[in-house]
Amino acid sequence: MSFYDVLHRRRDTRGEFTGAPIPPEVLRRVLGAAHAAPSVGLSQPWDFILVRDEHTRRAFRDHVQAERSVFAAGLDPERAELFERIKVEGILESTLGVVVTYDPDRGSPAVLGRHAIADAGLYSVCLAIQNLWLAATAEGLGVGWVSFYREEVLRRLLGIPRPVRPVAWLCVGPVERLPDAPDLERHGWRNRLPLEEVLHQERYTRRPGR
Amino acid sequence: MSFYDVLHRRRDTRGEFTGAPIPPEVLRRVLGAAHAAPSVGLSQPWDFILVRDEHTRRAFRDHVQAERSVFAAGLDPERAELFERIKVEGILESTLGVVVTYDPDRGSPAVLGRHAIADAGLYSVCLAIQNLWLAATAEGLGVGWVSFYREEVLRRLLGIPRPVRPVAWLCVGPVERLPDAPDLERHGWRNRLPLEEVLHQERYTRRPGR
């Protein structure tokens, strides 16, 4: 696949995982892609926890289901009904979970480029996640980012010490197929915006309110 | 370039910009790549402000130089001397600045997947930035992320209304070449870590303290 093919084929996958194994060299290329991301002051403040254990995954899935209900309870009846039909995670069906964390102490105290923007290290971790996601797509794997969880629960579950912060649980593995359109668009939850709506010249000129 | 070539050739560029124009269709592909990023609840909470104006860029560059001095003042003499030799931005030399912002109101109030993690929208914006960075690399352009600034200063300079938050000033444009190694590594500021140091199995097992 060409670079742009990979970029535009990438999807958030939830219902398509087969659970088949990932060849070790493929997993290494995908993790190596994440680790090749740019980072503020070359701090590389990320860690990757590979979770295959069934008990851990079930405990996390149970927590995510509870948080899903919390979100659903805040919706009006029409949106709640729509949300009911949307699958938000493939924690058990995927081959493994890759939990990505942020360590603010990595490279401290003088992280070049972080003195004025405290979140810059957190931003770096997200760049690594997108590298991982795209590399997985290039390898024919699916990735689903689960964000229906409380950080403190995931921290306790995996023994993540403070001040390290969990940023994502990524479900990773072979998929039957990658969907053509985002699930949320397919279900009518929300549409993709035209590029023009998010472009500004010289100054921030308006708020589309979308 | 193959996908992995793009991924591993990507560099943070500061001193290599030529200032040559970017063909409109190339810029559109690069911004389209950013806009194709995944986002929590398909909120697409990013905006892109294209800054070419000389006065705006000079004002921002002056502010960045002042913040550079703030950072330098906190270093011990040896590190300060090393830092002195490192160029941290190409604001005036690049073809344009792309300022990327985060709008927490986009898709509110019920952003699917954000109720438990307030920062999830901010994470989405970073994924868009990495897409932009990689697409620019595929197009032979350089990108340099400037983070020596106070958000409030950039907000005022570009008329960014609250609660929209500036996340990055990216210097973008054709470059003489992409460096083989990160500038900070080349200057001996900090080295890339082996992948093994950031990998954990099942649980977070240690803190490397690097």
Side-chain angles (χ1 to χ4, degrees):
Chain A
M1 277 197 280
S2 79
F3 168 75
Y4 280 108
D5 283 343
V6 172
L7 194 132
H8 291 289
R9 286 295 294 136
R10 183 213 51 75
R11 284 276 101 67
D12 195 314
T13 45
R14 295 99 177 257
E16 295 82 4
F17 291 108
T18 66
I22 304 172
E25 68 277 15
V26 171
L27 184 58
R28 195 173 171 89
R29 282 198 296 270
V30 169
L31 294 167
H35 190 49
S39 59
V40 63
L42 203 56
S43 54
Q44 307 155 82
W46 43 68
D47 282 272
F48 307 97
I49 311 168
L50 311 185
V51 182
R52 301 170 189 270
D53 182 77
E54 181 85 12
H55 290 288
T56 306
R57 292 209 259 173
R58 281 198 184 279
F60 184 63
R61 201 271 317 261
D62 291 349
H63 169 62
V64 167
Q65 284 188 335
E67 285 299 326
R68 185 191 162 111
S69 302
V70 169
F71 178 71
L75 298 173
D76 64 48
E78 196 187 330
R79 293 294 268 180
E81 198 183 306
L82 176 54
F83 179 60
E84 183 64 31
R85 294 198 296 272
I86 301 177
K87 184 169 168 69
V88 301
E89 52 81 14
I91 298 164
L92 297 179
E93 302 91 328
S94 58
T95 305
L96 81 166
V98 178
V99 176
V100 189
T101 61
Y102 166 51
D103 185 349
D105 287 349
R106 189 85 44 84
S108 281
V111 175
L112 192 158
R114 204 184 67 182
H115 80 283
I117 302 172
D119 281 340
L122 200 53
Y123 298 166
S124 304
V125 174
C126 298
L127 304 185
I129 290 172
Q130 185 64 357
N131 267 11
L132 184 155
W133 207 331
L134 292 171
T137 306
E139 301 284 356
L141 303 177
V143 173
W145 183 328
V146 183
S147 63
F148 281 81
Y149 66 88
R150 303 284 162 177
E151 288 183 14
E152 204 43 45
V153 172
L154 186 51
R155 182 196 299 284
R156 280 198 306 269
L157 186 65
L158 300 185
I160 299 168
R162 293 186 177 282
V164 181
R165 182 178 170 190
V167 175
W169 179 299
L170 306 174
C171 303
V172 180
V175 284
E176 287 160 20
R177 58 184 179 79
L178 288 175
D180 287 331
D183 266 19
L184 297 187
E185 190 170 54
R186 204 160 47 80
H187 282 285
W189 180 266
R190 205 173 148 73
N191 291 321
R192 282 179 280 188
L193 302 172
L195 177 59
E196 280 63 32
E197 291 208 19
V198 298
L199 282 189
H200 307 245
Q201 304 293 331
E202 303 299 348
R203 287 175 63 82
Y204 198 104
T205 43
R206 70 198 180 288
R207 292 193 63 200
R210 293 283 290 270
Chain B
M1 276 196 280
S2 79
F3 169 75
Y4 280 108
D5 284 342
V6 172
L7 194 132
H8 291 289
R9 284 295 293 135
R10 184 212 52 74
R11 284 278 101 68
D12 196 315
T13 45
R14 296 101 176 255
E16 295 83 3
F17 291 107
T18 66
I22 305 173
E25 68 276 14
V26 171
L27 184 58
R28 195 171 171 89
R29 281 198 297 270
V30 169
L31 294 167
H35 190 48
S39 60
V40 63
L42 203 56
S43 54
Q44 306 155 82
W46 44 68
D47 282 271
F48 307 97
I49 311 168
L50 311 186
V51 182
R52 301 171 190 269
D53 181 78
E54 180 86 11
H55 289 289
T56 306
R57 290 209 259 174
R58 282 200 185 277
F60 185 62
R61 201 268 321 257
D62 290 350
H63 169 63
V64 167
Q65 284 188 335
E67 284 300 326
R68 186 190 161 110
S69 301
V70 170
F71 179 70
L75 297 173
D76 64 47
E78 197 186 330
R79 292 294 267 180
E81 197 183 306
L82 177 54
F83 179 60
E84 183 64 31
R85 294 198 295 272
I86 301 177
K87 184 170 170 65
V88 301
E89 51 81 14
I91 298 165
L92 297 179
E93 302 92 328
S94 58
T95 304
L96 81 168
V98 178
V99 176
V100 189
T101 61
Y102 166 52
D103 184 350
D105 286 350
R106 187 83 46 84
S108 283
V111 176
L112 194 158
R114 205 185 65 183
H115 79 284
I117 302 172
D119 281 338
L122 201 52
Y123 298 167
S124 303
V125 174
C126 298
L127 305 185
I129 291 171
Q130 185 64 357
N131 267 12
L132 185 156
W133 206 332
L134 292 171
T137 307
E139 301 283 358
L141 303 176
V143 173
W145 183 328
V146 183
S147 63
F148 281 82
Y149 67 87
R150 303 285 163 176
E151 288 183 12
E152 205 41 46
V153 172
L154 186 52
R155 182 196 298 282
R156 280 199 305 270
L157 186 65
L158 300 184
I160 300 168
R162 294 186 178 281
V164 181
R165 180 177 171 190
V167 175
W169 178 299
L170 307 174
C171 302
V172 180
V175 284
E176 287 162 22
R177 57 184 180 79
L178 288 174
D180 288 333
D183 266 18
L184 298 186
E185 189 171 55
R186 203 160 47 81
H187 282 286
W189 180 266
R190 203 171 151 76
N191 290 321
R192 281 180 282 189
L193 303 170
L195 177 59
E196 280 63 33
E197 291 208 18
V198 299
L199 282 188
H200 307 245
Q201 304 293 332
E202 303 300 347
R203 288 175 61 83
Y204 198 105
T205 41
R206 69 196 182 289
R207 292 194 63 200
R210 296 283 288 267

